[in-house]
Amino acid sequence: MSQPSSPGRRIAVGVTGASGALYAIRTIAALLEAGCHLEIVFSDYGKRLLMDELGPDAKVDRLHDLLAARYGPSIQQGTFDLHSNKDLGATLASGSHRCEAMVIVPCSMKTLAGVALGLSRNLIERAADVMLKEKRRLVLVPRETPMSLPELRNMVSASEAGAMMLPAMPAFYQQPKTIDDLAAFIAGKILNGLGFEQQLFPPWKGE
Ligand SMILES: Cc1cc2nc3c(=O)[nH]c(=O)nc-3n(C[C@H](O)[C@H](O)[C@H](O)COP(=O)(O)O)c2cc1C
């Protein structure tokens, strides 16, 4: 389903090594369909999980082809750049760069810890820190179960610092039929968290 258009909005997307690569590419596709310019950073384990979970052809350097094959030509309404997670000199590392919001999807417990503690060990963590210090939207999509006390505390710290904690917990009241329906639900929640209208799942009608 095509998304309501929001041309020109510039959004950062971090993809780390938690399970849930499908959530990442569904979210990226929906933001492209909305006409955004995306600045995308994969961690090394984010790249690995992309292939582990979506197949050997799911390589970051073929991301456009992967998205087009799965979601069709509507992704061409948006554009994206890929950044190296090692490049702390990239635009995203500075608050002067006008990237209005960021999502880390999925967000590993390691990266969650780095964001919660403001470590800025790589571009994903630094860009997240920029969002927090500049009081811009930061959505974190952790996936782990069960969770340790340090992990729970890191979620509280990140939330207190201003991030939205949006765990990868799809709901079932929409009666999903496929795995893609589950991914669309989480992607829709992420778009709402970033301040977008979305049509990935219908709003609850109170019935
Ligand atoms: C197959 C596989 C699945 C993993 N799933 C998760 C997960 O669901 N959640 C998590 O926090 N870490 C998970 N990990 C561990 C992270 O990938 C690991 O902590 C890594 O150092 C994260 O680094 P990054 O945040 O830079 O991507 C998984 C690792 C592998 C190899």
Side-chain angles (χ1 to χ4, degrees):
M1 198 183 293
S2 76
Q3 295 306 302
S5 183
S6 308
R9 293 184 65 178
R10 185 179 288 268
I11 307 291
V13 181
V15 183
T16 67
S19 185
L22 186 60
Y23 297 131
I25 64 162
R26 189 67 197 89
T27 301
I28 290 169
L31 290 168
L32 292 173
E33 286 167 356
C36 295
H37 178 72
L38 304 183
E39 307 212 27
I40 304 175
V41 193
F42 279 78
S43 72
D44 287 346
Y45 273 84
K47 291 178 187 172
R48 171 179 165 164
L49 272 277
L50 193 70
M51 288 204 288
D52 281 357
E53 297 187 343
L54 301 179
D57 291 337
K59 295 192 169 71
V60 171
D61 56 7
R62 300 195 55 219
L63 184 61
H64 184 276
D65 295 345
L66 174 71
L67 295 167
R70 279 185 174 251
Y71 303 112
S74 55
I75 62 144
Q76 283 161 21
Q77 294 172 63
T79 53
F80 68 84
D81 291 325
L82 285 165
H83 297 281
S84 163
N85 201 25
K86 297 183 178 66
D87 185 8
L88 286 163
T91 48
L92 287 177
S94 171
S96 63
H97 180 58
R98 304 310 298 167
C99 198
E100 67 174 88
M102 179 174 189
V103 57
I104 304 180
V105 56
C107 183
S108 74
M109 295 299 102
K110 175 192 151 195
T111 293
L112 168 68
V115 173
L117 294 172
L119 296 183
S120 292
R121 292 169 293 189
N122 52 48
L123 183 58
I124 293 174
E125 289 182 6
R126 170 62 188 168
D129 206 41
V130 166
M131 293 296 142
L132 295 178
K133 81 183 179 72
E134 301 290 338
K135 307 293 182 200
R136 300 179 197 158
R137 289 178 197 254
L138 172 64
V139 177
L140 303 181
V141 186
R143 201 236 63 98
E144 188 53 279
T145 195
M147 285 191 177
S148 68
L149 186 57
E151 290 163 350
L152 293 166
R153 286 193 169 127
N154 286 334
M155 288 208 291
V156 172
S157 296
S159 179
E160 286 174 343
M164 175 186 283
M165 298 310 308
L166 199 156
M169 291 180 183
F172 292 86
Y173 57 81
Q174 307 284 355
Q175 301 191 345
K177 305 286 186 297
T178 66
I179 292 175
D180 281 331
D181 291 343
L182 299 175
F185 179 84
I186 294 297
K189 284 285 190 179
I190 292 169
L191 262 66
N192 285 159
L194 293 171
F196 287 79
E197 297 299 320
Q198 59 85 23
Q199 296 172 348
L200 289 155
F201 65 89
W204 179 244
K205 300 258 190 324
E207 292 150 4

